[in-house]
Every structure is written in C-alpha cells, then in structure tokens.
Amino acid sequence: HADMQKTVAELQTQLNAASEGKIQAEAEARDAGVLFRTIKESFQVKKRGWLRKQGGQFKTWKSRWSILRGNMLFYFKTEGDEALQKPKGVVYIDRYEAIEDPEDGPRKNLLILKAKNGAKNDFHMQAGSEEEKLAWRNVLKEALDMTEN
C-alpha cells in the first residue's frame, strides 16, 4: 500500500512537471510569436527551410520549418505557420559561441550550436542534405560573428 502511494505521488509529481513544462512551452511560443511579428520589418530573412531539431527536455527529433532573421532562429511546426506568424519557439544565436559540424557520428548533416561558458544546453539540428547543412552552417556562422561585434 505504501509503495502504491509512493508511485502515485511520483506520477503526480511527473504530471505536474510535465504540465508546468507545457505551460512554459506555450508561453515561450506566444512570446516568440510576438517577437517574430515585432522584428519582421527590421530584419530580413537570411535563410528559411526545414531542419530537424532535438528537443530540450525530451531528446526527440522533430522537423521544423526554420527561419533565420538577424541573430534569431525561429522554428515553426509547419511551413504554413510562418504566414500565420505562429512560431513554436526561437533560438537566440547570441547565447552560443560556436557552431560545430561533426563529420562522424550516428546522424548525417548534423550542426551543433555550442552554448557559451560550457553550459550543457547546446542546440542540435539536422539538415536534409549536405548542401543544406553547409548553407545553414554559413548563415549561422555569420549570425554568430555578428553577435561578437
């Protein structure tokens, strides 16, 4: 009986954490949408296209329509969501110090934005082809260089 209560308590804690995470994700997406609409006129699109990104809390991979404006990488669930100005989130390039392009490993066409100060929140993304990977790497590198000045 005590084990069952402990299990129920653990499940409730996990459910509460997941619920808080969902609420936070919804708030972040709402904020990203406001930001996207605000900067739309100020920063031209440097690149747009499909990328697979690794999730933050759960390390699953999801395809996202991605747009780089200035030093902000917005990502959307679908290409049509760009017209609706409803991004799922935004990656602030100035929070990263380098971009890695690993040649070996289980994933092809992988790019990794390395977090500043050795933080563990690197941003992993995967392009659909070698050509797309190189194009994304170049524009992300430009964005990184822009934030250093």
Side-chain angles (χ1 to χ4, degrees):
H1 187 70
D3 287 341
M4 187 176 206
Q5 283 180 328
K6 183 179 177 187
T7 302
V8 169
E10 288 172 353
L11 288 172
Q12 285 177 328
T13 301
Q14 290 174 355
L15 182 61
N16 289 340
S19 179
E20 287 174 18
K22 183 176 182 186
I23 291 168
Q24 181 180 354
E26 289 170 354
E28 287 172 2
R30 189 174 49 252
D31 293 347
V34 170
L35 179 63
F36 183 77
R37 288 186 293 280
T38 303
I39 69 149
K40 196 169 118 175
E41 303 303 319
S42 304
F43 296 98
Q44 72 181 50
V45 172
K46 293 185 179 174
K47 177 140 182 67
R48 61 168 44 98
W50 287 100
L51 286 170
R52 289 177 56 80
K53 67 173 272 308
Q54 188 178 46
Q57 186 174 8
F58 301 104
K59 301 299 181 189
T60 57
W61 288 85
K62 294 189 178 178
S63 292
R64 295 292 184 237
W65 181 251
S66 304
I67 298 173
L68 181 65
R69 282 186 184 272
N71 66 347
M72 291 166 276
L73 178 65
F74 292 90
Y75 54 92
F76 302 78
K77 188 171 185 176
T78 68
E79 192 172 342
D81 287 346
E82 176 187 357
L84 298 174
Q85 301 180 23
K86 291 190 170 194
K88 295 284 288 175
V90 61
V91 176
Y92 298 97
I93 304 299
D94 60 353
R95 295 182 181 169
Y96 300 88
E97 61 187 7
I99 185 159
E100 289 186 0
D101 177 2
E103 293 298 321
D104 55 350
R107 291 197 170 266
K108 288 183 171 255
N109 306 317
L110 184 66
L111 293 168
I112 303 170
L113 282 170
K114 299 300 287 181
K116 287 184 176 178
N117 303 322
K120 295 188 183 210
N121 52 345
D122 294 342
F123 185 77
H124 293 74
M125 64 199 114
Q126 183 182 23
S129 68
E130 175 76 13
E131 183 180 335
E132 276 295 296
K133 177 185 82 167
L134 295 175
W136 277 108
R137 184 189 67 193
N138 290 340
V139 295
L140 289 166
K141 176 97 175 71
E142 286 175 16
L144 279 168
D145 291 346
M146 183 175 81
T147 63
E148 291 175 1
N149 296 329

